[in-house]
Amino acid sequence: MNVDYAEQKQALPKQVLSARPGKWRTFYLKLRRNKLAMLGGYVILFYFLVAIFAPLLAPYDPYHIELANKLKPPSAEHWMGTDDKGRDVLSRLIIGTRLSLSVGFVAVFIGAFFGIVLGLFAGYYGKWVDTIIMRVIDVLLAFPGILLALAIVSALGPSLINVMIAIGVFSIPMFARIVRGSTLSVKKLEYIDAIRSLGASDLRIIFVHIFPNILSPIIVQATLRLATAILSAAGLSFLGLGAQPPLPEWGAMLSNGRDFLFTVPYLALFPGLAISTLVIGFNVFGDGLRDALDPRMKH
């Protein structure tokens, strides 16, 4: 005897229906059980709020030079002291949050965009398309990421925009390989064959039916890659190839503080702590996302 699905659902007790959480609720419950990941999420949220309200939170003009107040230690007036030009370190650190987060997100967007497109086409079409794309990816992978970024920035010239491009380029292979592998798995499923038999175009199959089903590993990789991008940008700025004076980028502030490391260590301490906490936050949150989005992780 056939029973309509709606009738079956109505026949179920309310307790049973409420005990079957939706997909996003299940994801959130799994993520919430990971205390370290939640702590990382709160750290990221804190820095996001600081970046959004930076002009309101900064007590002083981060670019205002006042040589009479240079190298003042932390006090009630300047909570994190002043630098060698008399600028308030706290104000520069707060404004620098916007720069560091912007560099990370733009660089990851560049790497994700091109990596996803290349990975989708390589995985879907295979054969010579896959061979050509993956050999290019192998060439990029042959160079250590930071060395490739150094070479690109050296060729383009030192600037924050060129740092974003450089980090984006060396992020492409990571996304391309992950997307290609996921595409190879999804395109073998029966529903893809059914959609193709109905006359759907390749582009529609790729971007409408395959891409949404491989978002989980992309989201995890993007979150983890943000930590690498922020750290790499800070490293390039530390070497003088990234943000140029007077921009208050954290890596540039750290580079400026190394000249006074033994006399006024707070100049390097505070930007170093900001970089470390944000990078660790993204790493532990990314690990938590990976566990929560993995269907094999039942507990």
Side-chain angles (χ1 to χ4, degrees):
M1 180 178 180
N2 294 329
V3 182
D4 185 77
Y5 172 73
E7 295 177 0
Q8 290 184 5
K9 187 174 180 180
Q10 290 176 357
L12 288 173
K14 291 183 178 180
Q15 293 84 356
V16 175
L17 292 174
S18 61
R20 288 170 24 181
K23 180 180 179 181
W24 290 108
R25 179 171 172 77
T26 303
F27 160 73
Y28 172 72
L29 292 174
K30 291 174 69 175
L31 182 64
R32 193 175 65 177
R33 285 196 293 267
N34 190 328
K35 302 300 182 184
L36 194 60
M38 292 301 293
L39 178 60
Y42 292 138
V43 169
I44 296 170
L45 178 62
F46 168 75
Y47 278 108
F48 263 101
L49 293 176
V50 170
I52 292 171
F53 299 105
L56 299 176
L57 296 174
Y60 298 95
D61 182 354
Y63 301 102
H64 178 65
I65 295 175
E66 193 174 347
L67 295 178
N69 286 329
K70 69 177 183 179
L71 300 178
K72 290 287 183 68
S75 62
E77 185 180 5
H78 299 281
W79 289 4
M80 293 184 179
T82 60
D83 65 7
D84 58 319
K85 294 180 176 59
R87 298 171 297 197
D88 183 63
V89 174
L90 176 59
S91 300
R92 291 179 63 77
L93 204 64
I94 290 173
I95 299 298
T97 307
R98 280 187 168 185
L99 293 174
S100 294
L101 284 174
S102 297
V103 171
F105 274 94
V106 172
V108 169
F109 175 80
I110 293 172
F113 178 80
F114 289 102
I116 289 170
V117 172
L118 292 174
L120 282 170
F121 281 95
Y124 182 79
Y125 287 107
K127 298 181 181 179
W128 63 270
V129 175
D130 183 31
T131 301
I132 293 175
I133 291 176
M134 296 315 296
R135 293 301 74 78
V136 174
I137 296 301
D138 289 341
V139 170
L140 292 176
L141 284 172
F143 298 93
I146 192 66
L147 291 182
L148 181 60
L150 278 170
I152 294 172
V153 173
S154 300
L156 298 177
S159 76
L160 209 54
I161 294 176
N162 291 340
V163 164
M164 297 177 192
I165 296 172
I167 297 174
V169 169
F170 87 71
S171 299
I172 291 174
M174 308 303 172
F175 286 98
R177 290 174 69 91
I178 289 173
V179 172
R180 174 183 176 270
S182 300
T183 303
L184 287 172
S185 300
V186 173
K187 80 168 187 177
K188 297 177 182 178
L189 299 178
E190 293 181 356
Y191 83 93
I192 297 296
D193 293 331
I195 294 167
R196 188 182 294 111
S197 66
L198 291 174
S201 65
D202 289 343
L203 290 180
R204 180 175 178 81
I205 293 173
I206 291 172
F207 292 106
V208 177
H209 299 286
I210 293 180
F211 176 63
N213 287 289
I214 61 172
L215 277 177
S216 294
I218 294 174
I219 293 172
V220 173
Q221 177 63 22
T223 306
L224 294 171
R225 202 66 192 169
L226 277 167
T228 304
I230 291 170
L231 192 60
S232 300
L236 291 171
S237 294
F238 182 82
L239 296 174
L241 297 174
Q244 300 300 301
L247 288 177
E249 198 272 336
W250 290 348
M253 292 177 65
L254 190 63
S255 178
N256 183 57
R258 67 177 172 177
D259 297 331
F260 307 94
L261 197 58
F262 297 103
T263 54
V264 279
Y266 64 84
L267 282 183
L269 174 63
F270 292 124
L273 285 175
I275 295 169
S276 301
T277 52
L278 184 56
V279 168
I280 292 173
F282 273 116
N283 276 325
V284 297
F285 186 67
D287 287 338
L289 277 181
R290 180 179 56 201
D291 294 341
L293 290 170
D294 190 347
R296 294 169 295 183
M297 301 291 291
K298 299 297 182 183
H299 302 286

